[in-house]
Amino acid sequence: MKALLTGGAGYIGSHTAVAMLEAGHEVAVIDNYYNSSAEAIRRVEKITGKNINMYEADVADKDKLRDILKTEMPDCIIHFAGLKAVGESVEKPVEYYRNNIDTTLALLEVMKELGLTNIVFSSSATVYGEDNVPPFTEDMPKGRCTNPYGWTKWMQEQILTDAQLASASAAAASGTDGDGAAELSVVLLRYFNPVGAHESGMIGEDPKGIPNNLMPYISQLAVGRRDHLTVFGDDYDTPDGTCRRDYIHVMDLAEGHVKAAEYCAAHKGTEVINLGTGEPYSVLDMVKAFGEACGSPVRYEIGPRRAGDVQDSWADADKAKRLLGWEASRGIREICRDAWKWQSGNPEGYGE
Ligand code: NAD
Ligand code: WQD
């Protein structure tokens, strides 16, 4: 199939581009490089020996988007493009709502104009909110989010679900005589904590500024770009007192997207699917595993809890297995090994 990846130069998009190309699919990318660099795409091409049709554009720019989609006419769109920093979203909520909602609306409008029907969306486990108890299953009611970023995901899921429902009604009303009404296929992927890097060490996570997330922070600490790690709270009701998460290797996640895109192109309706491992690990588990991977213990101190953190978050990963025939195969050893390979080989990231 031909897949179009919005935000495909970013962390998860670039790894998914590798997995899609290696599975024999064609890939085109739209990215405005707000949080990424063209070098990531060059490296994906180097890893795979295959070409990507790259478009530098804002997905919310409908005229440009229409031109690109008309040229590509993809079998499936994977919509990664978005702003994703939780703390920044609290400071700049309007920018987050504008960018994340506008890109999704623009896509839906132009897809309808062109009769494109298949879209996979990057959602997040954050939509389970504070009140659900893990393991999170897809049929749990979505919760109250703790920040504007989370609400944009919550709302985008709703927008896509409503658009799908309307498309199904329109398709049913128009019958099967092919008069143009086309039913959408929507796959909402709820990622848990994507971490690690491609096994080659050529692509990986390259956050701009000081990382907010645990694993890129530890990686930068290990190459001397940070001084020490603060573990946010050791008084949670968990075995070692630190929060537990479902850390998923980004290449497992990428391979999950290949299956999700293939599923999306072959079905109609809306499916919500967790992409996680189902295995929780604590902050201190990750600190220890990374120290073992890089050959030197990670320096840390215990600090206060971080506002907005939930104690526990991990997936029930059964639906992905059942529906997509996909499950994660890499553990925290591989995660830390590959994160270290990427960071030690590229201490300044892509350096652009
Ligand atoms: P990322 O920032 O590395 O990638 C997002 C990409 O989208 C970047 O390349 C950025 O330049 C691009 N972009 C943003 N707005 C754009 C616009 N208007 N037009 C064109 N390009 C635009 O982030 P990521 O970690 O790869 O995340 C990808 C998606 O997955 C995001 O939607 C994110 O919210 C979601 N997600 C990420 C995580 C995570 O922990 N990384 C977890 C759950 C969900
Ligand atoms: C993991 C654990 C921290 C940094 C976030 C978003 C979520 C999703 C994934 C996009 C927590 C602890 C962290 C540090 C620490 N993103 N920590 N010291 O918060 O689970 O999820 O990224 O959708 O929406 O909220 O990930 O990596 O920030 O934190 O102790 O310097 O590490 O308290 O327990 P989180 P994280």
Side-chain angles (χ1 to χ4, degrees):
M1 76 163 75
K2 185 189 275 186
L4 182 123
L5 278 48
T6 75
Y11 173 46
I12 302 170
S14 56
H15 289 79
T16 300
V18 170
M20 289 294 288
L21 289 166
E22 284 179 345
H25 300 302
E26 285 176 61
V27 171
V29 165
I30 307 180
D31 203 302
N32 62 2
Y33 299 131
Y34 179 88
N35 195 39
S36 53
S37 86
E39 179 60 16
I41 295 295
R42 288 193 284 274
R43 294 198 187 180
V44 171
E45 292 182 327
K46 215 176 214 175
I47 291 168
T48 59
K50 292 182 180 165
N51 177 60
I52 289 177
N53 288 349
M54 178 66 217
Y55 299 92
E56 183 174 350
D58 188 323
V59 177
D61 179 339
K62 266 179 71 178
D63 292 332
K64 273 199 187 155
L65 181 66
R66 185 180 301 106
D67 287 346
I68 296 166
L69 289 182
K70 252 190 196 161
T71 306
E72 293 291 335
M73 291 302 277
D75 302 297
C76 185
I77 293 169
I78 311 183
H79 181 29
F80 296 103
L83 304 182
K84 64 158 186 179
V86 168
E88 188 183 60
S89 80
V90 177
E91 288 152 29
K92 301 177 181 171
V94 176
E95 197 172 306
Y96 270 67
Y97 286 112
R98 169 67 75 196
N99 189 68
N100 291 2
I101 307 289
D102 264 9
T103 50
T104 302
L105 293 175
L107 274 171
L108 283 169
E109 286 170 350
V110 177
M111 284 171 70
K112 189 171 182 183
E113 283 175 31
L114 301 180
L116 297 170
T117 54
N118 306 324
I119 181 162
V120 173
F121 173 63
S122 297
S123 189
S124 168
T126 195
V127 303
Y128 288 109
E130 294 181 290
D131 301 323
N132 285 306
V133 176
F136 298 136
T137 53
E138 292 86 347
D139 56 3
M140 284 176 170
K142 289 195 284 179
R144 279 177 301 113
C145 295
T146 56
N147 57 77
Y149 164 75
W151 283 115
T152 68
K153 293 292 167 193
W154 199 106
M155 290 174 192
Q156 287 172 97
E157 281 200 0
Q158 192 63 43
I159 290 166
L160 286 158
T161 304
D162 290 342
Q164 198 291 325
L165 272 179
S167 75
S169 305
S174 70
T176 52
D177 55 0
D179 70 351
E183 181 176 352
L184 290 175
S185 174
V186 171
V187 177
L188 305 174
L189 295 178
R190 292 182 180 160
Y191 313 154
F192 281 71
N193 288 61
V195 284
H198 186 261
E199 286 81 359
S200 64
M202 286 172 66
I203 55 171
E205 189 167 12
D206 183 23
K208 297 201 166 141
I210 300 173
N212 299 301
N213 297 116
L214 179 66
M215 294 311 285
Y217 195 98
I218 295 180
S219 303
Q220 292 193 6
L221 175 64
V223 293
R225 285 175 63 185
R226 307 287 154 214
D227 183 49
H228 68 276
L229 170 73
T230 302
V231 171
F232 298 139
D234 69 348
D235 56 350
Y236 287 95
D237 184 16
T238 62
D240 66 17
T242 65
C243 293
R244 291 179 293 187
R245 297 287 182 272
D246 186 333
Y247 295 95
I248 176 167
H249 194 296
V250 67
M251 285 311 298
D252 276 329
L253 193 77
E255 288 158 13
H257 283 75
V258 175
K259 299 290 185 191
E262 289 166 351
Y263 180 91
C264 182
H267 293 80
K268 298 288 173 209
T270 298
E271 287 293 348
V272 182
I273 306 174
N274 288 338
L275 292 184
T277 68
E279 292 281 334
Y281 288 98
S282 73
V283 178
L284 293 180
D285 289 335
M286 300 309 287
V287 164
K288 183 161 174 277
F290 197 92
E292 284 164 5
C294 75
S296 147
V298 174
R299 293 182 306 282
Y300 70 89
E301 62 182 29
I302 304 293
R305 290 183 178 198
R306 179 172 71 176
D309 273 344
V310 295
Q311 173 176 295
D312 285 321
S313 166
W314 67 88
D316 180 314
D318 278 359
K319 186 171 177 186
K321 208 192 262 182
R322 220 173 348 101
L323 219 61
L324 307 180
W326 167 90
E327 63 183 315
S329 63
R330 300 158 179 92
I332 61 169
R333 234 184 106 250
E334 289 80 11
I335 284 171
C336 295
R337 179 198 65 196
D338 297 336
W340 175 236
K341 185 162 187 190
W342 153 250
Q343 197 71 66
S344 55
N346 304 269
E348 300 298 326
Y350 293 111
E352 284 195 340

